[in-house]
């Protein structure tokens, strides 16, 4: 500061700190007696030079580090969990020194909870952020093998888009929320800097959820997890409304291919459609009985709703019935499925009524349109995901159906309505 502050007038210096205690001390200029002279000097130099600094916490990817080995979840809160769901027979994620273990039996990073057996145990786990998803998958593997007597409580941060949180929030019948700590809650303690006792680490910067998996049998879905479980397949991530809003800024609205891709994405999301209804395996393998055609689209006279007729799906395989899926307009928004379909229909107005609904410009004859294939839809969706900073490898055609269903659940729509829209089982 004495050397450089006068040269940086008018600038904001961002100091990245990976220690919460240090961040609190320099931000509030208070701390242990040993640090008071240094904090006073920093404060004096900042005022003298009229210089401003902004402090930012640097997120660590690895949480099982030595300087965090002695972090405790609040013993009082743990005792409350134990009274309701205990006694716990295992603390699944503790430091190498076992100093923060609540149970006689515990696993550290060396034991690796991703490879251990939870069978027959009532586990407690304050999950390390970087391996939350893998630990939960291993737990589900063990739960499937021994339903009765296998359970636990898991502490998970509420991070929208994180694969572990999305897994937990998407399996509420298995991972049942029992407590939600709001931002700013004091949950953890660390050794005091003066070496005497322990001190609170500070308020949390996000919501924290505790979920409970009961010791009794539960229904475990096979959402893409291989039976062998030694190489579990990661499920695709759901598209969120926020993701769609960001993608809309990069979407191509000028070409027929771009219009068809964007309309297919919105129809798949709002209508909970499977990719087989929107696309075909190969553009040459067109089957009018299975995929949507132009005559399956009916616009309401008021223009605020479009109805889509489904004649074939996973639950309608022999053409024995059909059902209509309504898509409601979103006024003055690029996320409006009605407007997206209307623009696509106008751009391809010369096509016959039994032509594929979603067509793209082919690579062969110039100007020729071909049915949209699975590969084209997935490639287009992944390209948009990458442009908005998402991992494209985590998104596929099923992300639309899963994202729409997740959004409907969070909006508290009726479960029967969601189920009827996505997988109708009768003619209603």
């Amino acid at each position: 500061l004495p050397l450089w502050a006068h040269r940086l007038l008018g600038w904001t210096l961002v100091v990245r700190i990976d220690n919460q205690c240090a961040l609190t001390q320099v931000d509030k200029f208070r701390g242990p007696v040993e640090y008071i002279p240094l904090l006073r000097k920093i404060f004096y130099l900042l005022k003298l030079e009229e210089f401003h600094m902004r402090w930012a916490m640097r997120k660590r990817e690895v949480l099982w580090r030595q300087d965090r080995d002695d972090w405790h979840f609040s013993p009082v809160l743990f005792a409350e969990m134990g009274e309701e769901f205990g006694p716990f027979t295992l603390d699944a994620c503790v430091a190498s020194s076992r100093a923060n273990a609540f149970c006689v039996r515990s696993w550290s990073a060396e034991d690796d909870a991703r490879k251990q057996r939870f069978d027959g145990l009532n586990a407690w786990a304050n999950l390390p952020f970087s391996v939350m998803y893998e630990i939960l998958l291993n737990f589900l593997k063990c739960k499937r093998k021994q339903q009765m007597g296998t359970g636990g409580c898991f502490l998970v941060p509420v991070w929208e888009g994180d694969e572990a949180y999305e897994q937990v929030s998407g399996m509420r019948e298995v991972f049942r929320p029992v407590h939600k700590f709001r931002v700013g809650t004091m949950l953890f303690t660390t050794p005091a800097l003066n070496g005497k006792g322990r001190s609170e680490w500070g308020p949390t910067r996000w919501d924290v959820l505790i979920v409970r998996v009961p010791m009794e049998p539960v229904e475990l879905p096979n959402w893409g997890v291989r039976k062998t479980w030694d190489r579990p397949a990661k499920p695709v991530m759901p598209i969120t409304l926020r993701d769609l809003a960001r993608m809309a800024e990069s979407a191509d609205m000028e070409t027929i291919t771009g219009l068809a891709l964007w309309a297919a994405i919105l129809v798949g999301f709002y209508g909970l459609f499977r990719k087989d209804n929107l696309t075909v395996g190969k553009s040459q393998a067109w089957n009018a009985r299975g995929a949507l055609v132009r005559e399956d689209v009916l616009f309401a006279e008021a223009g605020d709703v479009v109805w889509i007729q489904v004649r074939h799906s996973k639950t309608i395989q022999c053409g024995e019935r059909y059902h209509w899926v309504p898509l409601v307009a979103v006024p003055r928004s690029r996320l409006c499925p009605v407007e997206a379909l209307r623009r696509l229909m106008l751009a391809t107005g010369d096509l016959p009524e039994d032509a594929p609904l979603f067509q793209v410009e082919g690579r062969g004859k110039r100007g020729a349109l071909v049915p949209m294939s699975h590969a084209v839809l997935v490639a287009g969706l992944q390209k948009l995901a990458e442009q908005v900073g998402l991992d494209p490898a985590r998104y596929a055609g099923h992300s639309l159906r899963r994202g729409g269903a997740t959004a409907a659940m969070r909006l508290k729509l009726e479960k029967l309505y969601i189920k009827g829209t996505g997988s109708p089982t009768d003619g209603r």
Side-chain angles (χ1 to χ4, degrees):
L1 286 174
L3 292 175
W4 292 96
H6 67 283
R7 301 185 183 184
L8 297 174
L9 292 179
W11 293 78
T12 298
L13 178 62
V14 180
V15 181
R16 299 191 179 277
I17 303 173
D18 59 9
N19 184 287
Q20 183 67 41
C21 295
L23 177 64
T24 302
Q25 291 173 36
V26 296
D27 187 42
K28 298 183 179 180
F29 291 103
R30 67 184 185 187
V33 175
E34 296 85 350
Y35 295 159
I36 293 299
L38 176 61
L39 294 173
R40 184 180 299 170
K41 183 67 173 178
I42 294 175
F43 180 80
Y44 172 75
L45 289 171
L46 291 178
K47 293 299 182 182
L48 180 64
E49 300 290 347
E50 296 184 355
F51 181 63
H52 300 282
M53 302 183 74
R54 181 165 61 89
W55 319 98
M57 189 68 182
R58 182 180 180 185
K59 179 183 175 182
R60 290 186 180 180
E61 294 299 329
V62 180
L63 269 292
W64 254 329
R65 294 182 61 91
Q66 190 65 28
D67 54 0
R68 294 195 179 190
D69 270 359
D70 202 9
W71 283 27
H72 281 204
F73 180 73
S74 171
V76 176
L77 296 177
F78 176 80
E80 295 178 0
M81 293 292 108
E83 289 180 3
E84 186 172 359
F85 303 109
F88 294 105
T89 56
L90 167 71
D91 195 336
C93 305
V94 304
S96 300
S97 63
R98 316 284 177 179
N100 60 347
F102 285 113
C103 305
V104 175
R105 183 175 182 180
S106 59
W107 296 333
S108 66
E110 289 75 17
D111 302 310
D112 199 347
R114 295 171 294 181
K115 302 177 182 178
Q116 298 292 333
R117 297 186 60 177
F118 287 87
D119 311 34
L121 299 174
N122 185 18
W124 162 263
N126 178 11
L127 299 171
F129 296 164
S130 60
V131 291
M132 290 189 297
Y133 180 74
E134 290 82 358
I135 292 176
L136 291 175
L137 276 183
N138 182 44
F139 172 82
L140 289 177
K141 166 187 172 181
C142 299
K143 178 67 174 177
R144 185 179 295 275
K145 288 181 178 179
Q146 183 177 331
Q147 286 265 23
M148 182 61 71
T150 302
C153 288
F154 302 91
L155 191 148
V156 181
V158 179
W159 290 345
E160 296 289 343
D162 179 78
E163 55 187 357
Y165 174 69
E166 293 295 339
Q167 180 192 52
V168 167
S169 60
M171 300 177 64
R172 290 299 177 93
E173 297 301 320
V174 179
F175 296 100
R176 303 174 183 179
V178 296
H179 206 300
K180 187 173 184 178
F181 300 99
R182 295 295 182 182
V183 175
T185 306
M186 299 291 187
L187 294 182
F188 303 98
T189 65
T190 60
L193 293 177
N194 59 11
K196 300 178 181 179
R198 305 186 65 84
S199 61
E200 289 184 320
W201 171 69
T204 58
R205 288 172 285 121
W206 48 74
D207 293 344
V208 176
L209 187 68
I210 292 183
V211 294
R212 171 68 178 171
V213 179
M215 305 289 282
E216 299 77 24
V218 295
E219 184 177 353
L220 294 174
N222 284 319
W223 36 269
V225 181
R226 298 186 182 184
K227 293 182 180 179
T228 58
W229 287 92
D230 57 342
R231 295 177 60 191
K234 292 184 179 181
V236 297
M237 295 296 292
I239 292 291
T240 66
L241 285 170
R242 183 178 300 178
D243 295 336
L244 285 178
R246 294 163 60 194
M247 290 179 181
E249 300 176 1
S250 304
D252 175 15
M253 301 295 184
E254 302 298 329
T255 65
I256 292 180
T257 297
L259 292 173
L261 176 63
W262 187 242
I265 289 175
L266 294 183
V267 170
F269 179 85
Y270 289 111
L272 311 187
F273 281 103
R274 295 180 174 88
K275 64 180 182 181
D276 291 334
N277 289 114
L278 306 175
T279 61
V280 294
K282 295 182 179 179
S283 59
Q284 298 86 354
W286 165 249
N287 181 2
R289 184 178 65 88
L292 296 175
V293 297
R294 291 171 60 85
E295 64 181 357
D296 290 328
V297 179
L298 177 63
F299 290 93
E301 293 184 2
D304 56 347
V305 179
V306 60
W307 293 84
I308 298 182
Q309 180 182 226
V310 180
R311 297 170 287 105
H312 184 274
S313 70
K314 187 176 180 179
T315 56
I316 309 175
Q317 299 189 6
C318 300
E320 65 274 18
R321 52 188 169 81
Y322 63 88
H323 78 286
W324 291 88
V325 175
L327 302 180
V328 181
V330 184
R332 298 180 297 279
S333 172
R334 299 188 74 176
L335 302 184
C336 177
V338 178
E339 181 62 24
L341 278 174
R342 182 178 289 110
R343 295 182 64 178
L344 176 63
M345 299 288 278
L346 290 175
T348 58
D350 297 334
L351 296 176
E353 290 299 305
D354 59 351
L357 176 58
F358 301 110
Q359 298 195 60
V360 297
E361 296 163 326
R363 297 181 179 180
K365 297 180 181 179
R366 190 172 184 179
L369 298 179
V370 297
M372 181 185 294
S373 64
H374 298 340
V376 171
L377 174 63
V378 173
L381 180 61
Q382 291 179 341
K383 182 179 179 180
L384 289 173
E386 185 176 15
Q387 289 175 344
V388 298
L390 301 174
D391 181 6
R394 301 306 312 279
Y395 296 88
H398 193 63
S399 297
L400 302 175
R401 175 178 169 86
R402 187 180 177 194
T406 302
M409 287 292 292
R410 289 178 176 173
L411 292 173
K412 302 186 183 303
L413 299 184
E414 289 290 339
K415 292 184 179 180
L416 288 178
Y417 171 79
I418 300 173
K419 182 178 180 180
T421 300
S423 297
T425 55
D426 54 36
R428 290 178 293 177

